[in-house]
Amino acid sequence: MGRDGSMTEYTINSQYLDEEMTLRVYTPNNFSPLYKYHFCIMQDGNDYYSMGRAATLSDKLHKEERIERTIFIGIHYKDKYDRREKYHPDGSRQGDYVNFLIREVVPFLDEQLPGYTMGRGRTLAGDSLAGTLALMTAVKFPNIFGNVIMQSPYVDEHVLEVVDTGRELSSLTIDHTIGLEETDVVTTTGEQMDFLEPNQKLRDLLQQKPVSYTYHELDGGHTWGSWQKDFERALLNIFSGE
């Protein structure tokens, strides 16, 4: 099936991560540098394109004129261990990865593409650990990333503390989903963990904060089946312009 938009790959030779990082950028049909675009920056990028069907949803929602002009940017990981080190709150490379996002990815996108160059024009999206990374980064740098889509994020005391002590959160818009069956999730390290209760704790905390906050509990488990089904709703929530 043909695509309406265009996929372009860019490479950043990251000095923070000391590796070449690929950005897969999907621009919508009729893309023009004369317009400004929102940026939806997805960790687990290849998964969002293949299993989340981000490009298909972009085609559909732009064609139906249900979202504002949006460019999707996917950033991927090498393997599950690399992913954990970059995305986990206590991962050995999480700080370097956040530096890569704010000091290399954002300036690169602002230079290459016609974006809004302000926080509300940039969204971080992610599932599971990638959702955790999206939330923690936006809470720490709300002037750079104004919106978060997090699907079934990993939540621990560290995450709750970062959110609780966050400053200047009033500019943030957060869309948060968790599956009601996520009570026994197998993590990267092989442990089994209840994701539902910690996510409900995070919900209670975020509801007390001055953020624009949407929370959804889904029927389903910690799988792309659940996340893909809900991704369109989340995109409309953030990018419909209402």
Side-chain angles (χ1 to χ4, degrees), residues 38-50:
H38 292 271
F39 293 162
C40 182
I41 303 168
M42 309 173 294
Q43 318 321 305
D44 282 359
N46 293 356
D47 297 336
Y48 266 99
Y49 282 127
S50 62

Side-chain angles (χ1 to χ4, degrees), residues 10-214:
Y10 298 94
T11 302
I12 294 179
N13 202 348
S14 172
Q15 64 184 54
Y16 293 98
L17 294 169
D18 198 24
E19 66 179 285
E20 280 202 348
M21 298 293 289
T22 300
L23 273 52
R24 295 182 68 206
V25 174
Y26 193 74
T27 48
N29 186 23
N30 298 333
F31 170 76
S32 164
L34 299 176
Y35 296 117
K36 286 201 185 314
Y37 291 78
H38 292 271
F39 293 162
C40 182
I41 303 168
M42 309 173 294
Q43 318 321 305
D44 282 359
N46 293 356
D47 297 336
Y48 266 99
Y49 282 127
S50 62
M51 293 179 281
R53 301 180 65 217
T56 305
L57 284 170
S58 173
D59 288 352
K60 176 182 180 226
L61 297 175
H62 279 101
K63 191 180 230 167
E64 294 169 359
E65 297 184 354
R66 292 171 73 203
I67 59 171
E68 295 185 56
R69 295 182 184 91
T70 303
I71 295 172
F72 288 81
I73 298 103
I75 308 170
H76 208 57
Y77 52 87
K78 286 189 282 211
D79 55 39
K80 65 181 185 177
Y81 305 106
D82 176 60
R83 179 178 183 268
R84 188 181 191 282
E85 294 312 323
K86 285 173 177 164
Y87 298 172
H88 194 284
D90 304 318
S92 63
R93 307 186 79 198
Q94 200 218 32
D96 295 332
Y97 190 82
V98 171
N99 272 327
F100 157 70
L101 279 179
I102 62 173
R103 298 197 160 91
E104 295 178 323
V105 173
V106 167
F108 179 83
L109 293 175
D110 286 349
E111 191 178 298
Q112 293 284 337
L113 298 162
Y116 283 99
T117 66
M118 60 179 79
R120 69 176 183 81
R122 301 189 196 101
T123 298
L124 286 176
D127 63 286
S128 197
L129 274 181
T132 313
L133 187 279
L135 173 68
M136 292 179 77
T137 306
V139 164
K140 287 175 183 169
F141 302 97
N143 57 324
I144 299 178
F145 302 105
N147 316 303
V148 174
I149 294 173
M150 53 178 179
Q151 301 183 286
S152 309
Y154 165 86
V155 178
D156 62 13
E157 290 305 319
H158 184 168
V159 176
L160 294 170
E161 185 188 343
V162 166
V163 172
D164 198 30
T165 56
R167 302 277 174 262
E168 312 296 324
L169 300 186
S170 58
S171 60
L172 289 182
T173 299
I174 297 174
D175 189 284
H176 176 195
T177 50
I178 184 72
L180 290 170
E181 293 166 30
E182 295 191 54
T183 51
D184 199 11
V185 176
V186 180
T187 66
T188 310
T189 52
E191 301 165 82
Q192 290 181 310
M193 192 184 146
D194 177 5
F195 268 53
L196 180 58
E197 190 187 357
N199 270 270
Q200 290 169 333
K201 271 192 197 165
L202 177 60
R203 169 202 63 197
D204 295 345
L205 182 58
L206 282 167
Q207 283 175 341
Q208 297 162 23
K209 299 287 179 184
V211 300
S212 172
Y213 178 59
T214 304

